[in-house]
Amino acid sequence: MANENYDILIIGAGFAGVTAARELSQKGYRVLILEARDRLGGRTWCDQKLGRTLEMGGTWVHWFQPHVWSEITRYGLEVIPSPEPKKAYWTANGQGKEGTPEQLFDLLDEANQGLLADTRKYFPLPYEPLTSKELKNIDHLTVSEKIEQLGLNKEIKDLMESLWALNFNGPTERAGITQAMRWAALSDNNWQLMLEICASFKIAKGTKALIESIFSDAKADILYSKVVSQVEKTADGFTIKTKDDKQFNGKSVITTLPINVLNSIDFKPSLSAVKCKAAKEGQASKGIKFWAKVKNFANPFVAFAPVDYPINYAHLEYVEGKDGIIVGFGPDAAKLNPESIYEVEQALRQMKPDLEVIESAGHDWVGDKFSGETWPMQCNNQLTNYLFELQNPEDGLFLAGSDYANGWAGFIDGAIESAFTVSRKTADYLKEQSTKQRTIQ
Ligand SMILES: Cc1cc2nc3c(=O)[nH]c(=O)nc-3n(C[C@H](O)[C@H](O)[C@H](O)COP(=O)(O)OP(=O)(O)OC[C@H]3O[C@@H](n4cnc5c(N)ncnc54)[C@H](O)[C@@H]3O)c2cc1C
């Protein structure tokens, strides 16, 4: 296999890599996927924890996400709802409160309407996020600055910071307001619908079932545990070197590395200065997802806590007899070890003091050298400074993935969308190359 010449070498077997492999191999191109891990899925991963299969990464899908939804339809997969919360707990302005989810969302409604008021003006076509000529006027703003401008009372301000730190999986000081508006634009400018889209419905058999279905239709070769270290442009195409000193040749390359680890590969010649700068800067998410089994508590709830707490969001996801399984997020991976029952219990008790954690689990995607981030969320200025260039191929070398998508960037949907676009561009490139060669002969 090592000496074979491929049409396309794909780096990474997450949703973007596997979808691109299916699209291009079905067109008759010879495709090889090189994956650093020993499994498919990348930032989606169904692991056996707390006595059941749990999603360590990407989970929820929705019919407002057209690319992933069409794949779910294509493969006939069942989608099921997460439990609807009946109770809400929130800590804001130094006080713990409880009520119904409706009461909590009513508190946040006016502030979110204000935050997202200009969405339609700046994003008239949600899948073409660079359409507006006026983007530069707002792209410099962070979510935190915009919240400040709204002049909210302390309780609502704390809650808004918490909600948006959840959405960005990181503090709002680096969160770009245009990124927030892009989510809203894709959700018919309705922030509550936006939350439903992000965390309400999941694939019954897990994300694994979807990626395996896509992969089963790809007529591509794949090698696992192959960490790509170098991509070099040659007279005939590209040579890729891996950390175990193997070499692979192809006419074109699609890399699906998340932006935060893009610079881990030595590209020869170097990627454009703008791409390198975007990768060096990194995006806004730096948080953690955790799972916790709690004793004698199985009531569907949702909870928010301030952005400086280790956990700022949690809800009940499964019921097991009298016990419950909670899923949640914190805005800083450095502040919570999800595998530590003690740390998770202490953090959850800041939201609901009587919880007793029996077991906990999670994966540090930020510390993971093959991701370096959770779901990609742009900082201020990154939409106008980088997106166009990140989508711009470099003589047969293409960037695909959720980090580079137009629509639901940061989601499985974005990974699939980007793979479709890049597959089309790669096929066009290869056709052009073969026409050129025939003309020379
Ligand atoms: C905690 C968490 C929760 C999330 N929740 C949701 C959700 O509910 N819904 C949703 O839609 N999305 C969610 N996401 C986001 C979603 O999982 C990702 O956007 C999507 O899976 C990214 O797919 P990708 O193919 O673009 O990138 P990846 O899945 O990151 O794939 C890139 C691949 O490249 C490989 N790679 C990296 N470096 C190298 C190298 N040097 N050599 C070879 N291979 C390499 C990686 O191992 C990986 O397999 C979540 C993500 C996380 C982390």
Side-chain angles (χ1 to χ4, degrees):
M1 192 181 281
N3 295 323
E4 276 192 53
N5 273 307
Y6 287 92
D7 294 311
I8 303 132
L9 302 172
I10 297 179
I11 311 174
F15 270 94
V18 168
T19 305
R22 182 191 66 191
E23 296 302 296
L24 288 159
S25 65
Q26 286 193 350
K27 282 188 195 296
Y29 292 111
R30 299 176 67 222
V31 178
L32 170 67
I33 308 177
L34 297 164
E35 168 55 52
R37 304 179 199 271
D38 59 2
R39 59 169 180 83
L40 296 176
R43 278 172 283 170
T44 58
W45 179 23
C46 294
D47 199 12
Q48 296 304 312
K49 294 278 179 176
L50 316 189
R52 61 185 305 146
T53 305
L54 292 177
E55 300 274 9
M56 294 292 121
T59 308
W60 292 286
V61 293
H62 198 275
W63 48 94
F64 263 59
Q65 298 180 325
H67 302 90
V68 70
W69 199 257
S70 92
E71 296 299 324
I72 287 166
T73 308
R74 184 198 301 245
Y75 294 110
L77 298 176
E78 186 193 356
V79 169
I80 52 170
S82 288
E84 208 175 306
K86 300 279 179 255
K87 187 112 194 167
Y89 304 92
W90 63 96
T91 307
N93 194 21
Q95 279 189 310
K97 292 197 177 169
E98 54 182 84
T100 62
E102 291 72 26
Q103 284 167 331
L104 172 62
F105 291 134
D106 279 354
L107 279 177
L108 286 164
D109 192 47
E110 204 181 320
N112 274 307
Q113 305 269 7
L115 188 88
L116 302 166
D118 291 330
T119 294
R120 276 197 211 287
K121 174 177 159 192
Y122 291 109
F123 296 98
L125 297 168
Y127 273 89
E128 292 176 36
L130 294 167
T131 311
S132 167
K133 301 230 170 349
E134 295 176 67
L135 278 178
K136 270 284 176 204
N137 298 341
I138 51 156
D139 200 24
H140 62 91
L141 267 184
T142 64
V143 169
S144 171
E145 286 165 344
K146 185 74 187 174
I147 289 175
E148 195 62 47
Q149 286 177 5
L150 295 173
L152 306 168
N153 71 38
K154 181 80 170 86
E155 181 184 20
I156 309 293
K157 185 166 175 269
D158 281 358
L159 276 171
M160 284 293 280
E161 291 283 356
S162 177
L163 174 71
W164 285 96
L166 163 69
N167 293 340
F168 277 80
N169 203 217
T172 53
E173 283 82 11
R174 284 194 83 212
I177 190 67
T178 52
Q179 172 73 78
M181 287 181 171
R182 286 174 70 190
W183 277 27
L186 290 154
S187 314
D188 200 25
N189 203 18
N190 175 336
W191 71 273
Q192 292 200 36
L193 173 62
M194 183 188 86
L195 293 189
E196 177 192 298
I197 293 169
C198 294
S200 302
F201 296 90
K202 57 196 173 184
I203 300 168
K205 290 189 176 159
T207 51
K208 190 171 191 276
L210 181 57
I211 200 156
E212 283 179 350
S213 300
I214 298 174
F215 186 63
S216 70
D217 275 346
K219 299 172 198 114
D221 292 333
I222 185 163
L223 291 173
Y224 293 102
S225 305
K226 284 278 170 284
V227 181
V228 172
S229 52
Q230 191 182 83
V231 174
E232 186 169 15
K233 179 87 181 130
T234 62
D236 306 325
F238 291 87
T239 297
I240 281 185
K241 287 188 184 142
T242 52
K243 285 235 159 102
D244 57 358
D245 284 332
K246 298 279 186 300
Q247 207 163 295
F248 304 90
N249 299 319
K251 292 178 189 152
S252 60
V253 168
I254 298 175
T255 163
T256 69
L257 264 63
I259 188 88
N260 279 21
V261 293
L262 186 60
N263 281 342
S264 67
I265 293 182
D266 176 21
F267 291 95
K268 290 188 167 186
S270 166
L271 293 175
S272 72
V274 174
K275 286 194 182 81
C276 291
K277 193 164 173 239
K280 193 167 174 213
E281 211 172 282
Q283 49 71 60
S285 81
K286 53 175 258 193
I288 191 84
K289 175 181 183 178
F290 74 93
W291 290 94
K293 188 169 193 172
V294 289
K295 197 168 175 181
N296 286 333
F297 182 79
N299 305 325
F301 76 96
V302 58
F304 282 92
V307 66
D308 52 349
Y309 282 32
I311 293 174
N312 72 317
Y313 174 86
H315 76 234
L316 187 96
E317 188 66 23
Y318 297 107
V319 174
E320 290 196 339
K322 287 183 176 169
D323 302 331
I325 293 187
I326 291 174
V327 64
F329 299 90
D332 187 348
K335 285 192 181 164
L336 184 81
N337 173 3
E339 300 278 342
S340 159
I341 295 175
Y342 175 77
E343 281 188 36
V344 172
E345 184 174 82
Q346 291 302 306
L348 276 174
R349 283 183 176 179
Q350 289 182 303
M351 302 176 117
K352 193 168 176 347
D354 49 356
L355 288 177
E356 185 182 337
V357 174
I358 312 166
E359 266 183 284
S360 69
H363 178 72
D364 178 7
W365 296 98
V366 176
D368 180 328
K369 59 179 186 273
F370 303 129
S371 51
E373 59 182 59
T374 56
W375 57 92
M377 298 296 284
Q378 284 169 331
C379 301
N380 53 322
N381 289 317
Q382 292 186 340
L383 174 63
T384 48
N385 284 350
Y386 302 139
L387 185 64
F388 178 80
E389 172 55 22
L390 287 168
Q391 294 176 342
N392 200 19
E394 301 200 9
D395 198 12
L397 171 67
F398 299 81
L399 267 53
S402 166
D403 296 51
Y404 318 104
N406 275 333
W408 286 103
F411 292 79
I412 297 166
D413 190 83
I416 297 170
E417 174 223 305
S418 170
F420 285 164
T421 307
V422 166
S423 299
R424 173 170 40 77
K425 288 184 182 173
T426 307
D428 288 348
Y429 170 82
L430 290 171
K431 271 185 237 152
E432 226 176 78
Q433 292 302 105
S434 87
T435 313
K436 264 191 210 161
Q437 251 178 3
R438 267 187 267 130
T439 318
I440 293 165
Q441 284 159 4

